[in-house]
Amino acid sequence: MHVTGTVPQPAPAPQEIPAAPTPATEPAGSPGRHARHFGLPVATALVMGNIIGGGIFLLPASVAPYGTISLVAFGVLTVGAIALALVFGRLAERHPDTGGPYVYAREAFGDFAGFLAAWAYWITTWVSNAALAVAAVGYLDVLIPVGGHRWTACLAALALQWLPALANFAGTRYVGAVQLVSTVLKFAPLLLVAVGGLFFFDADNLGPFRASGGSAIGAVSASAAILLFSYLGVESAAVSAGEVKDARRNVGRASVIGTVGAALVYLLGTLSVFGTVAHDRLVKSTAPFSDAVNAMFGGSWGGWAVALAALVSMTGCLNGWTLLSAQTPYAAARDGLFPAAFARRRRGVPTVGVGVTVVLASLLTVYNYTSGSARVFEILVLVTTFTATVPYLLATAAQLFHLVSGRRERVNRARLVRDAVVASVAAAFSIWLVAGAGYAAVYQGVLFLFAGILVYAVLAARRQRARTAA
């Protein structure tokens, strides 16, 4: 499941009211010893860590009913995700500022479009964090029995959210360290299966190429619908561009390298599981990577090992998404499009944004465990699959706007055709994401966006009144 910015802005975004000043929580030019700018390795780890959460550990079984043709869907989606990563890299060259899609949408289309991007992305992050924490409890239960009692499980889910939040409160120095370490720890076992499984590969386990019995296009589309949201997080470096060293170069590099790295792990991991676990067993498996480890090395310790890897993976993912959950509101608050409190920052981290986000995610988590039914919670999670695509579409639209506008200072003429093709592929990928969300998710997501319009109206009115009073 589901993490940029720029420096000089050649043409200010259209706005009628001056941007709100940023609260001075730290001396200018003195971020403190707990704040650090991310280099390329940490920025790449942020992208890879946020793309790969816990879903990878179930993916092979999820797509197995469609046969090995699902690997074709992986390839198609990877092309779309890389195109989106390239678009973020090109946009970050123009605007290497914290906020990513929010910055790009606002600069191209004005305050309202920027607000919609920030609002939709913010909803995506805190609802996704609650979902990640609840899912992580299932893996924790394999190691430490916590699922037997509702409140024990709830407290475990809350702890899994607050520990990454505390790392964020400690400063970007610690966020980067946790992200880098967790990414290394998560990829070690994944690569063990992805690469090691090739040595135990048995073609007889693969099953039919098209197991569903329908058309090839139908099978690719159906498996792609399951895989689509495995690439959410490609924007992570762009959203945190203000904290990335040499963002004009490194945001694009981190986005592409991180996306390609995640895609290789997805593809090789799924292929290895396909080749080590018999197809008829894989279709019914609830722990495909565990079954693959047990098939490769014997014994029954695969479940414990994979549960530990999944827990590390999801904790690292929570760490990265917690940072992203505060970055976009921070950028919007500096421009007066979010409450001013979100612009407060200490040790390189927007602490108010982190605090509000973790509290909202915690309340949603408690509601999940007290309601007695996960149905409402599941609907909210599905909504995020739609809201995440709103900033993607606005960002790709901003890139197309720059390319078509003909403004020479915004367009590299030597790369015009290539950039146009890449942006078109990224736009198609984003629209495909919307289609894959399903009718119910789009319907519910639009309601969330409409609620945001009311918030925008109140904030715009307050800004207008402040301007009039001045």
Side-chain angles (χ1 to χ4, degrees), residues 53-447:
I56 185 175
F57 296 96
L58 289 175
L59 271 184
S62 300
V63 297
Y66 302 102
T68 52
I69 196 173
S70 58
L71 298 176
V72 176
F74 261 123
V76 174
L77 291 175
T78 298
V79 171
I82 291 174
L84 192 58
L86 288 169
V87 167
F88 283 129
R90 295 289 290 122
L91 289 167
E93 289 179 15
R94 298 190 191 99
H95 306 286
D97 303 319
T98 293
Y102 157 75
V103 175
Y104 315 144
R106 179 173 180 265
E107 192 277 335
F109 308 121
D111 286 350
F112 184 62
F115 173 82
L116 282 182
W119 177 261
Y121 196 74
W122 184 57
I123 290 172
T124 300
T125 53
W126 63 264
V127 176
S128 295
N129 276 7
L132 273 169
V134 171
V137 170
Y139 292 107
L140 178 63
D141 191 53
V142 176
L143 307 174
I144 306 172
V146 294
H149 190 274
R150 183 171 59 185
W151 287 111
T152 303
C154 182
L155 289 174
L158 292 176
L160 288 168
Q161 291 175 56
W162 279 90
L163 287 175
L166 292 176
N168 275 264
F169 285 132
T172 52
R173 174 183 181 181
Y174 299 98
V175 174
V178 170
Q179 197 65 25
L180 194 58
V181 171
S182 64
T183 300
V184 171
L185 291 178
K186 98 163 58 168
F187 280 106
L190 288 174
L191 289 175
L192 172 65
V193 175
V195 178
L198 299 178
F199 294 95
F200 297 86
F201 194 90
D202 185 351
D204 292 336
N205 290 326
L206 291 177
F209 177 68
R210 196 168 69 243
S212 59
S215 67
I217 295 178
V220 170
S221 298
S223 53
I226 296 173
L227 301 169
L228 273 171
F229 304 103
S230 300
Y231 285 98
L232 295 184
V234 64
E235 76 291 344
S236 301
V239 173
S240 294
E243 281 62 59
V244 177
K245 295 177 184 177
D246 192 8
R248 292 183 186 277
R249 297 178 61 198
N250 286 336
V251 165
R253 291 178 176 182
S255 299
V256 173
I257 294 172
T259 302
V260 171
L264 286 175
V265 172
Y266 279 150
L267 189 58
L268 286 178
T270 302
L271 179 62
S272 292
V273 173
F274 276 5
T276 53
V277 182
H279 180 261
D280 57 346
R281 183 183 173 193
L282 181 59
V283 170
K284 303 175 183 177
S285 176
T286 57
F289 271 79
S290 297
D291 292 339
V293 171
N294 291 337
M296 290 162 57
F297 303 109
S300 58
W301 55 275
W304 181 89
V306 170
L308 180 60
L311 190 60
V312 170
S313 176
M314 299 181 83
T315 303
C317 197
L318 279 165
N319 178 68
W321 278 101
T322 299
L323 175 65
L324 295 193
S325 69
Q327 296 286 27
T328 298
Y330 163 76
R334 288 190 307 172
D335 298 323
L337 299 180
F338 252 63
F342 283 86
R344 296 175 187 165
R345 188 159 74 161
R346 285 184 177 276
R347 298 175 175 178
V349 174
T351 50
V352 172
V354 169
V356 171
T357 296
V358 74
V359 167
L360 288 173
S362 298
L363 291 174
L364 183 56
T365 301
V366 172
Y367 175 74
N368 174 65
Y369 283 103
T370 57
S371 65
S373 171
R375 179 60 184 159
V376 175
F377 185 73
E378 290 172 359
I379 291 174
L380 288 174
V381 172
L382 285 175
V383 167
T384 67
T385 61
F386 166 71
T387 56
T389 64
V390 174
Y392 287 2
L393 277 171
L394 287 170
T396 53
Q399 173 70 340
L400 289 170
F401 169 78
H402 293 313
L403 295 174
V404 176
S405 66
R407 297 171 65 177
R408 295 187 177 183
E409 73 274 13
R410 302 294 182 88
V411 179
N412 185 326
R413 294 285 180 178
R415 300 194 297 189
L416 178 60
V417 174
R418 183 177 67 182
D419 284 350
V421 171
V422 170
S424 299
V425 173
F429 176 70
S430 300
I431 293 173
W432 197 5
L433 284 170
V434 174
Y439 294 108
V442 172
Y443 169 74
Q444 300 286 348
V446 168
L447 294 181

Side-chain angles (χ1 to χ4, degrees), residues 453-463:
I453 293 174
L454 300 179
V455 174
Y456 176 82
V458 172
L459 291 174
R462 291 176 62 184
R463 294 170 68 213

